[in-house]
Amino acid sequence: MKNSSSRYNPKETEQRIYNDWEKKGYFNPDKSNPGTKKVFSVVLPPPNVTGTLHMGHALNITIQDALVRYHRMKGETTVWMPGSDHAGIGLQSTLEKKLRKEGVSRFDLGRDEFIKKAWEWKELYGNIILNQIRAMGASCDWSRTKFTMDEDYVNAVETVFIHYHRQGWVYRGQRVVNWCPRCGTSISDLETDYVAEASKLWHIKYPIASFSPKTKADEIGEYVIVATTRPETMFGDTAVAVNPKDERYRALIGKKAVLPVVGREIPIIADKSIDIDFGTGAVKITPAHDLNDWQIGQKHKLPLIAVIDERGKMNGNTPAEYQGLKTGEARNKLAAHLQEIGLLEKIEDYEHQVPKCSRCGAAIQLIPSMQWFVKMDDLARKALIAANSGKIKFHPKRWESTYHSWLKEPRDWCVSRQLWWGQRLPVWFCQTEPDKYTVAKSEPSKCPICGKCRPKRSEDVFDTWFSSALWPLAVFGWPKITQDLKKFYPTSVLTTGRDIINLWVARMAFSGMEFMNKAPFAQVIINAMVLTKDGKRMSKSLGTGIDPMTLIEKYGTDATRFGLVWQVSESQDLHFNEDNMLAGQKFCNKIWNASRFVCGQIEGEKNIYSLTVKPKPITSADKKIMAGLAKICRSTEKNINRYALGAAIRDLYDFFWHKFCDVYIEAAKNQIRGAKNKTQTRNTQKILIYVLANSLKLLHPFMPFVTEELWQTLPLKTKTDLIISPWPKS
């Protein structure tokens, strides 16, 4: 290394080293440590096939890769299973936008042709994010890559649905769901963004006496005032609710209110869920267009009157002059009407969270829709047992409460979507009796219902969360009992974000318990949420997002990984600071130049130093650095085992930069210059090499490329590549 540059250049090393690792099969457990009994397995949370890397991904990948590399060096049979999710609504929305620019709709193409184009899009663009994950240095076993639309994976999804149906847990019914009028499908909570918008709070008088819709306000006696942000839904009101503890309205409970404009009488009911402090304390109940109202409606057996259709327009259950209007138009028209007849008490400025489709930005409507649901009571109980028995542990522990709270009061799971791209439900409808159906993987040769018709397959596809709930099982070949499933299930650790504890973690937990009678992972690490420097949510659309690939181009992968892990602490919010990537770049150069110095002291000797024999310290400086090395070996292992990776890298930085470079290397220079014989010189050289080599090992899980490149230059007697070299013993 005497003639090498004084600056480390990641562009000259990273791709070359990664290709070499992959070529040698180090990521494949069949080739790397295949004979060891101890197994460490991890599944990569499958990114959407439409996605690109963001900072949350980058942190998550860095944490997982550090753990995988550590356990591989510990000699364990290690597998990290990669793959991607078909992103049903995401890919379909992306493709439809492309088609619209070409003047074509999916309906012009037809379902089969549209799906063909979806596969073409996936082949062209679907591996972008997986290649970006490679660029992060992720040592996944790419030979085992899974895609949720692979034939065997689809088979697993259908097997689960059929099993749930046989258990009596699947039903088809009309329920209130999140509906995107533009995408034309129900969507999950995670596909809904809540955006703060300046709006109004309308206070509307609901009379208590019989009256004509044309009656003037001064002819009305008693009334109750309700406050609402969505007056246009009042046509679907089926009750007014108050809190039974609210003394203002106690005398009205059991009476009837009259729905303004419509003239329909609705009951005034008591429900303890009503917030006394919101608005007037009296709330209109519209079970067809609000999830909380739906639950109140079920409890009090209220009728369901839908007034908004799947296009986001007022339907035939509204007065004629409102039918066909968009909800915003109907709102303005109704407010003017109420003002005219004296039933609008007042309008207040009000900011509230408006649900928007995360794919297309359209306002979400909550509407009743005929969907497929899975009953959650038995499954939720299994997921709770897994956590309560200690089979699943959360880090930090406080996130267990989020997991528990959702599972203790689970809602039935809407598993169907009105899309074309996705895993189609194995449901076959009778053509003679269209409300009757058969659940089967393949088309029945004869209709089991009427015995005459050719059954028609359901148009619906599965919610992507239904398929991803099987990820830790299906990636290893389930429902077949494969060698991989026997060897690698259950997995060791899951690393994910707090926003999908309920949507994904809990669902994987009950899936594993139901089908394998084992929790799918032992530990769940909830990694920090990456925010902007001033604490705002990172968003590409808002211009606050940062592309990790830009940072890799600027600083290199090792520096980017260092900068991310450096910022990890006990806090669950990471305020991103790019200065840490610059610090990572400087640290790479420090490691590089320290290695140049150490190798420069060897005077051209090759392969003469052994790491199996610990050198004996002679001087006070020798003793301090060897004791320091033993201490950092212990603390690094302890910190990694308790998933405190931020503490691990900060301690390593302090040891290498300050104790090794600033103190011992300077002392070593004096020792070599003042050595009385070759034995003293050789002993100092041994300690330099020994501490450097073990430091590279300790740093490797966090900074894999620079450490591997330098490891190859060390004059050691026996040496494997660093990625599979033994972890240092303290």
Side-chain angles (χ1 to χ4, degrees):
M1 290 189 66
K2 285 184 177 180
N3 298 321
S4 66
S5 170
S6 61
R7 289 187 63 83
Y8 169 63
N9 186 350
K11 292 180 180 178
E12 291 180 358
T13 61
E14 291 178 352
Q15 191 62 59
R16 168 173 50 81
I17 289 174
Y18 193 90
N19 291 344
D20 187 56
W21 286 331
E22 197 169 359
K23 183 179 178 181
K24 291 176 178 176
Y26 292 148
F27 304 161
N28 187 331
D30 301 332
K31 300 176 181 178
S32 176
N33 299 332
T36 57
K37 291 183 179 180
K38 195 166 184 181
V39 170
F40 184 81
S41 64
V42 181
V43 292
L44 177 77
N48 285 341
V49 73
T50 56
T52 55
L53 213 63
H54 57 61
M55 292 308 297
H57 288 136
L59 176 61
N60 184 282
I61 290 160
T62 301
I63 291 171
Q64 289 176 85
D65 192 50
L67 294 174
V68 167
R69 288 177 182 275
Y70 164 73
H71 284 277
R72 189 183 288 119
M73 293 174 76
K74 293 283 285 183
E76 298 168 25
T77 300
T78 305
V79 68
W80 186 8
M81 292 291 293
S84 55
D85 188 279
H86 62 278
I89 192 171
L91 193 151
Q92 180 155 321
S93 177
T94 300
L95 185 55
E96 286 197 88
K97 287 177 186 176
K98 180 177 180 292
L99 291 174
R100 278 197 295 271
K101 290 179 181 178
E102 298 170 2
V104 181
S105 75
R106 64 179 162 120
F107 300 101
D108 296 327
L109 295 176
R111 184 168 191 145
D112 290 344
E113 188 62 27
F114 180 82
I115 291 173
K116 181 180 176 183
K117 285 192 173 294
W119 276 107
E120 289 172 356
W121 189 98
K122 187 265 177 187
E123 293 304 315
L124 280 172
Y125 305 109
N127 290 325
I128 289 175
I129 194 165
L130 295 182
N131 289 331
Q132 291 177 334
I133 291 170
R134 288 171 181 259
M136 285 295 304
S139 53
C140 299
D141 181 6
W142 299 105
S143 68
R144 283 175 160 86
T145 302
K146 278 289 177 186
F147 179 48
T148 52
M149 288 285 281
D150 288 343
E151 185 177 345
D152 58 345
Y153 201 101
V154 173
N155 174 56
V157 173
E158 292 178 348
T159 299
V160 168
F161 183 77
I162 292 169
H163 169 83
Y164 288 161
H165 184 262
R166 287 173 180 164
Q167 292 288 99
W169 296 341
V170 169
Y171 66 93
R172 183 172 180 254
Q174 192 175 53
R175 295 282 300 271
V176 173
V177 298
N178 295 322
W179 185 269
C180 176
R182 188 175 296 168
C183 294
T185 181
S186 60
I187 65 172
S188 72
D189 293 337
L190 194 69
E191 292 159 335
T192 303
D193 294 329
Y194 284 85
V195 180
E197 285 190 0
S199 184
K200 303 290 182 184
L201 194 62
W202 285 266
H203 293 248
I204 304 169
K205 297 176 181 177
Y206 281 44
I208 306 300
S210 296
F211 83 115
S212 163
K214 297 181 180 179
T215 304
K216 300 295 183 183
D218 57 5
E219 296 173 323
I220 298 171
E222 195 177 10
Y223 55 79
V224 62
I225 299 174
V226 302
T228 178
T229 59
R230 301 189 68 200
E232 72 278 7
T233 64
M234 67 179 285
F235 298 125
D237 288 358
T238 54
V240 170
V242 297
N243 193 299
K245 295 181 180 180
D246 195 333
E247 295 181 0
R248 295 172 295 176
Y249 301 113
R250 193 167 288 169
L252 294 180
I253 297 171
K255 292 188 176 183
K256 300 278 188 179
V258 181
L259 194 59
V261 180
V262 177
R264 173 164 40 88
E265 288 189 353
I266 56 177
I268 299 175
I269 62 174
D271 195 282
K272 62 182 181 181
S273 69
I274 303 303
D275 183 357
I276 293 175
D277 298 322
F278 174 76
T280 64
V283 179
K284 59 190 285 301
I285 302 300
T286 320
H289 299 294
D290 184 277
L291 286 176
N292 292 326
D293 290 4
W294 161 267
Q295 291 183 318
I296 292 172
Q298 293 292 296
K299 191 191 309 180
H300 296 273
K301 298 182 179 179
L302 300 174
L304 189 74
I305 303 175
V307 296
I308 300 171
D309 66 17
E310 293 180 349
R311 302 169 301 161
K313 295 183 178 182
M314 309 307 290
N315 68 14
N317 290 331
T318 61
E321 63 268 31
Y322 290 90
Q323 293 174 19
L325 295 180
K326 292 181 180 178
T327 53
E329 296 169 341
R331 183 180 304 165
N332 295 333
K333 185 178 180 69
L334 179 58
H337 190 174
L338 292 169
Q339 184 83 50
E340 181 184 338
I341 62 175
L343 294 181
L344 189 60
E345 174 74 6
K346 63 178 179 178
I347 304 173
E348 294 178 330
D349 289 332
Y350 185 77
E351 184 180 278
H352 74 128
Q353 300 292 316
V354 178
K356 299 286 182 88
C357 176
S358 63
R359 305 299 175 186
C360 70
I364 293 298
Q365 298 295 337
L366 287 158
I367 64 171
S369 179
M370 188 63 74
Q371 301 287 344
W372 292 88
F373 295 88
V374 173
K375 295 177 183 177
M376 284 294 299
D377 291 342
D378 290 321
L379 291 169
R381 198 174 300 116
K382 290 178 183 286
L384 282 171
I385 289 171
N388 292 337
S389 64
K391 293 175 182 176
I392 296 176
K393 295 180 180 178
F394 281 78
H395 307 271
K397 186 176 174 60
R398 61 181 176 273
W399 292 111
E400 284 183 10
S401 61
T402 301
Y403 177 90
H404 279 87
S405 62
W406 183 73
L407 290 168
K408 285 177 180 176
E409 296 183 9
R411 294 177 180 175
D412 288 353
W413 182 9
C414 177
V415 299
S416 50
R417 297 290 181 265
Q418 290 62 57
L419 301 169
W420 285 358
W421 169 248
Q423 304 145 334
R424 207 163 169 180
L425 270 65
V427 174
W428 307 85
F429 285 97
C430 175
Q431 300 276 41
T432 307
E433 299 182 65
D435 289 334
K436 295 185 178 180
Y437 58 85
T438 302
V439 175
K441 282 191 180 182
S442 56
E443 180 182 350
S445 57
K446 185 178 181 181
C447 178
I449 310 298
C450 70
K452 299 175 183 178
C453 76
R454 182 177 180 181
K456 182 181 179 183
R457 189 166 189 175
S458 171
E459 294 286 318
D460 290 352
V461 300
F462 285 107
D463 167 26
T464 53
W465 292 107
F466 186 81
S467 64
S468 63
L470 305 178
W471 191 245
L473 292 82
V475 294
F476 295 123
W478 186 91
K480 292 181 180 179
I481 306 302
T482 63
Q483 288 301 313
D484 274 5
L485 189 66
K486 291 178 184 177
K487 191 170 187 177
F488 299 123
Y489 185 92
T491 61
S492 307
V493 179
L494 174 73
T495 304
T496 189
R498 64 188 185 229
D499 53 334
I500 54 175
I501 291 174
N502 299 333
L503 288 164
W504 192 45
V505 178
R507 288 169 176 170
M508 286 190 289
F510 66 62
S511 299
M513 294 295 287
E514 177 67 18
F515 297 107
M516 294 293 291
N517 201 30
K518 291 179 182 177
F521 27 72
Q523 314 290 334
V524 179
I525 302 172
I526 303 300
N527 58 254
M529 186 75 73
V530 184
L531 306 175
T532 61
K533 192 174 183 178
D534 54 358
K536 295 179 181 177
R537 183 174 69 91
M538 283 197 174
S539 167
K540 291 181 181 178
S541 60
L542 297 175
T544 55
I546 297 173
D547 185 353
M549 304 310 294
T550 302
L551 297 173
I552 288 173
E553 177 66 24
K554 188 174 180 180
Y555 301 107
T557 298
D558 287 329
T560 300
R561 288 168 58 123
F562 172 93
L564 279 168
V565 177
W566 180 272
Q567 297 174 75
V568 173
S569 65
E570 292 298 316
S571 169
Q572 278 295 287
D573 286 332
L574 187 157
H575 290 212
F576 179 77
N577 188 339
E578 193 174 326
D579 291 347
N580 292 295
M581 278 60 186
L582 179 60
Q585 187 182 56
K586 291 179 179 178
F587 189 40
C588 285
N589 286 328
K590 190 71 173 179
I591 300 168
W592 183 260
N593 284 311
S595 301
R596 289 176 72 236
F597 168 77
V598 171
C599 290
Q601 300 302 306
I602 309 305
E603 300 175 351
E605 296 174 291
K606 296 181 179 179
N607 305 330
I608 61 169
Y609 294 95
S610 171
L611 295 183
T612 58
V613 180
K614 186 188 297 184
K616 294 181 180 180
I618 298 173
T619 67
S620 173
D622 294 345
K623 292 174 182 177
K624 283 183 180 179
I625 197 61
M626 291 297 287
L629 177 64
K631 184 179 178 181
I632 196 65
C633 284
R634 289 193 298 270
S635 70
T636 301
E637 185 154 350
K638 181 180 178 181
N639 281 326
I640 292 176
N641 286 333
R642 68 185 186 95
Y643 311 119
L645 303 190
I649 195 64
R650 289 189 290 271
D651 288 350
L652 281 166
Y653 175 90
D654 179 69
F655 170 77
F656 191 88
W657 192 302
H658 299 300
K659 293 181 176 62
F660 182 55
C661 295
D662 290 352
V663 177
Y664 186 72
I665 283 182
E666 294 306 313
K669 291 176 183 177
N670 293 328
Q671 288 179 189
I672 290 171
R673 279 196 297 266
K676 296 179 180 178
N677 53 56
K678 207 166 187 178
T679 301
Q680 291 179 350
T681 300
R682 178 62 59 85
N683 198 69
T684 300
Q685 291 171 340
K686 285 180 179 179
I687 291 176
L688 282 169
I689 289 289
Y690 189 83
V691 175
L692 174 62
N694 282 288
S695 295
L696 293 178
K697 287 185 177 187
L698 295 172
L699 286 164
H700 179 76
F702 309 95
M703 308 172 74
F705 293 110
V706 66
T707 51
E708 182 71 83
E709 178 75 353
L710 291 169
W711 176 263
Q712 301 299 334
T713 69
L714 299 184
L716 302 177
K717 283 185 178 179
T718 56
K719 181 171 63 178
T720 60
D721 288 350
L722 179 56
I723 188 174
I724 58 166
S725 67
W727 184 255
K729 294 180 180 180
S730 59

